[in-house]
Structures are given as structure tokens and as C-alpha cells.
Amino acid sequence: MSFKESDCWIELVDQPIDVAAVQEFVTTRSAGAVVLFLGTVREMTGERQTVALDYQAYPEMAIAKMQEIASEAKEKWPIQKVAVIHRTGRLELAEASVVVGVSTPHRGDSFAAGQYLIDELKVRVPVWKRENWVDGTTEWVHPGADAGLPASEAPDA
């Protein structure tokens, strides 16, 4: 499921995210800065070892919320182009679960807008994550459960 205009690309995909396509989409001659953020599947969460993650979404609501967040970001910063792509299904270690791309005239705005987009996505978009631990157990992680953490400490950072 997706939404795409000339300056905004929002999509849920069940196959690996084409990061090069996201970079190509957000790159424009009017922007001097492009920021790409990739959330990837990390092996260790504290002392627990992950073998894979499963993502599920409520597609219609997820796309609507991602559009809403992108619109808000475009009101706050001089965004030239924005892309937010989230993966669903089973992901192995190191695979990208989410890619946020944004371009602005200057780097400070791109970093701020990218941070806003991923932080708000994790809090507001109905995408659920299940951890599959090495001991065979599983655990659903509530969306936004790590919202208060700096991006460098979030489970998908």
C-alpha cells in the first residue's frame, strides 16, 4: 500500500526496502542536504539476543498517519522531498525495517526533519513489532514503547 506525489512518497512494503530508490527520490537540485535514516534489525537488546523481527500493520491507518506526519514536517521545515517507507513481515538481522529520507536546502533542517519523522512514526503509526528471541520465545513490543529514548538508544536505531 502506498501514497506517492512528486514531493512525498509513503509506503508499506513486504519486501526489502530499496534504499537507493529512496535516496534517488528525495535528491533534488534545490536541496543542499539529504538525510537518510535506516532502522535495522539489531541482534542484541540489552542482554537478550534477537534472531528476527516480525512487523504487522493496519495498512490504511499506517499510511494515513505517515502522510499526516510528513505533512506536519513539511510545515515545520523547508522540505523539498520526503519519503517514509516501512517494512512488514519477517525481517532477519541487519535488514532495514524503516527508511526515512528527507531533503532540504541546508543540513540542519534535514537532520531535524528526519529526527521528527522517525520519532513521530514510532509513536503514532500503527505498526507492531514482535521480537523473536534466540531462546524460542517471542514478545510483542508496543508501538512507541521506546519513544522517550534518544534515537541512538531506540530498539530500531
Side-chain angles (χ1 to χ4, degrees):
M1 180 162 215
S2 68
F3 168 82
K4 197 168 187 178
E5 293 183 332
S6 62
D7 65 344
C8 183
W9 178 15
I10 306 292
E11 188 166 13
L12 288 174
V13 297
D14 61 3
Q15 298 296 316
I17 299 170
D18 185 345
V19 178
V22 174
Q23 180 180 353
E24 182 178 333
F25 177 79
V26 297
T27 300
T28 176
R29 296 173 73 166
S30 61
V34 170
V35 167
L36 290 177
F37 169 81
L38 281 68
T40 60
V41 179
R42 174 180 63 229
E43 184 174 23
M44 299 301 295
T45 300
E47 299 296 317
R48 299 194 78 183
Q49 185 176 5
T50 299
V51 294
L53 296 178
D54 296 309
Y55 284 93
Q56 292 184 3
Y58 173 22
E60 294 81 7
M61 182 64 78
I63 294 294
K65 285 295 184 186
M66 289 192 291
Q67 284 180 265
E68 179 181 289
I69 294 165
S71 292
E72 291 169 4
K74 290 189 324 192
E75 291 176 11
K76 294 176 180 283
W77 294 278
I79 292 174
Q80 305 301 300
K81 289 190 171 189
V82 59
V84 181
I85 316 298
H86 204 299
R87 177 93 183 268
T88 59
R90 188 171 191 90
L91 282 74
E92 303 300 326
L93 296 177
E95 284 192 90
S97 59
V98 62
V99 176
V100 172
V102 63
S103 59
T104 65
H106 303 285
R107 68 180 180 275
D109 288 331
S110 281
F111 281 120
Q115 177 81 48
Y116 177 83
L117 288 160
I118 190 62
D119 287 351
E120 291 300 312
L121 181 146
K122 292 182 74 76
V123 172
R124 295 164 45 188
V125 176
V127 174
W128 299 276
K129 176 174 69 176
R130 182 174 59 193
E131 294 268 3
N132 295 283
W133 305 109
V134 73
D135 64 5
T137 61
T138 62
E139 179 181 1
W140 285 100
V141 178
H142 186 273
D146 60 327
L149 297 174
S152 61
E153 296 178 24
D156 285 339

